Amino acid sequence: MADTTGLRADCARCVGLCCVAPAFAASADFARDKPAGRACHHLRADSRCGIHDELRERGYPGCVVFDCFGAGQRVSQVTFAGRDWRTDPATAAGMFAAFTVTRPLHELLWYLTEALTLTPAGPLHDELRAARDATDTLAGGTGQELATVDVDAHRDLVNPLLAAASEAARAGTGGADRRGALLLGADLRGADLVGANLRGARLLGADLRRADLRRADVTGADLRGTDLRGADLSDTLFLHQSQLEAARGDRHTALPTRLRRPAHWTTVVPLTPARRPRRPRR
């Protein structure tokens, strides 16, 4: 497994950037509006959330599932050398702007790192590594350099490599192509989704109880409210912890060893009726 330590949020080394830089609107994910660049009213003076342990109950599930992929501590400790926008207001605008660029670059770094673990030595592996190095170089720029980065253009260069890695990892499964599929509330109980391409699929509120998602690609799939109880995600491709936090599951949900079972998932759910037969592993 690749080392993704630097791509995990370390709030103790950040100055609360995710609670200030992004904007959010009152919705099912956030209890109230907050414009970009303004601190959330729950952000404490020590850069910690004042309702962290009650975010779901207080109407902020969007905060629970948000992940900066380690961009917060990089901008705080590296790009701005440990300075704090509170005590050094002159850095605020540049720091917030840097965060909005570094965060998507770190997300790409996470996907590229995952793709490298799936791809054997060869030309594609070399291209992925070069793309990862180039992305890391961009993310390591100064505040002024980050302001010139065209994240969308860079993503357009990287995505074909990620797609190629996915296709190679799913080869031979015969999985369905459901890229970007609109599957809101879909009844997919017991569905055979082995090797399916679900990149960017919108599965909000979908019922995937007992579904087989082995080797399915869920890059960017929206799993908010998706019911994953009893589903098999034991080797689902590009599955991120934030997607699990947004979904529902239970102790019967099979997960990759690198991911943890979210605390809000139920622990005891009867599995009836019986599971549908699955295709054998290939």
Side-chain angles (χ1 to χ4, degrees):
M1 296 297 292
D3 182 8
T4 57
T5 304
L7 302 177
R8 300 173 192 160
D10 184 353
C11 298
R13 300 180 60 231
C14 181
V15 289
L17 295 180
C18 69
C19 302
V20 188
F24 52 74
S27 62
D29 291 321
F30 301 101
R32 59 189 296 177
D33 295 330
K34 188 196 81 64
R38 181 182 298 176
C40 172
H41 70 291
H42 291 300
L43 182 65
R44 303 186 318 204
D46 63 356
S47 296
R48 299 294 178 269
C49 175
I51 60 168
H52 185 269
D53 295 334
E54 303 174 298
L55 283 168
R56 291 183 187 279
E57 294 78 8
R58 299 283 289 271
Y60 290 88
C63 294
V64 178
V65 304
F66 179 83
D67 196 305
C68 76
F69 293 88
Q73 66 259 28
R74 186 170 196 170
V75 172
S76 299
Q77 302 301 325
V78 181
T79 313
F80 284 84
R83 284 175 286 178
D84 189 329
W85 57 273
R86 291 178 185 275
T87 56
D88 191 355
T91 67
M95 191 175 291
F96 302 156
F99 178 77
T100 62
V101 174
T102 306
R103 193 268 175 193
L105 289 175
H106 266 228
E107 183 175 9
L108 281 175
L109 282 173
W110 185 87
Y111 281 115
L112 286 164
T113 302
E114 288 291 300
L116 282 166
T117 68
L118 300 172
T119 308
L124 179 56
H125 191 279
D126 293 341
E127 289 185 81
L128 287 165
R129 184 169 296 282
R132 191 189 190 287
D133 291 345
T135 305
D136 190 50
T137 297
L138 288 176
T142 65
Q144 292 79 6
E145 290 169 339
L146 285 166
T148 68
V149 174
D150 186 335
V151 175
D152 290 336
H154 185 67
R155 186 184 289 112
D156 288 343
L157 294 174
V158 170
N159 273 338
L161 296 176
L162 294 176
S166 170
E167 290 171 8
R170 294 181 292 106
T173 63
D177 187 352
R178 304 303 301 274
R179 284 174 293 179
L182 186 61
L183 298 168
L184 282 72
D187 186 350
L188 295 168
R189 285 174 291 179
D192 180 356
L193 294 169
V194 173
N197 186 346
L198 293 168
R199 292 169 64 90
R202 286 169 284 180
L203 289 153
L204 286 80
D207 191 343
L208 283 165
R209 283 177 289 175
R210 308 177 187 84
D212 192 344
L213 290 148
R214 288 174 294 156
R215 294 173 68 185
D217 181 350
V218 295
T219 300
D222 192 338
L223 301 183
R224 285 179 292 170
T226 304
D227 194 340
L228 297 173
R229 288 177 291 173
D232 190 346
L233 296 91
S234 55
D235 60 355
T236 299
L237 309 182
F238 301 111
L239 178 65
H240 190 263
Q241 185 66 40
S242 61
Q243 290 172 301
L244 296 180
E245 296 293 343
R248 301 169 56 201
D250 63 8
R251 65 187 178 90
H252 299 289
T253 307
L255 300 177
T257 56
R258 62 182 173 78
L259 299 177
R260 66 181 182 277
R261 201 171 303 276
H264 73 280
W265 282 15
T266 55
T267 56
V268 179
V269 177
L271 289 179
T272 55
R275 288 174 176 246
R276 284 171 46 181
R278 292 181 179 167
R279 293 191 299 182
R281 287 186 182 270
R282 296 173 186 256

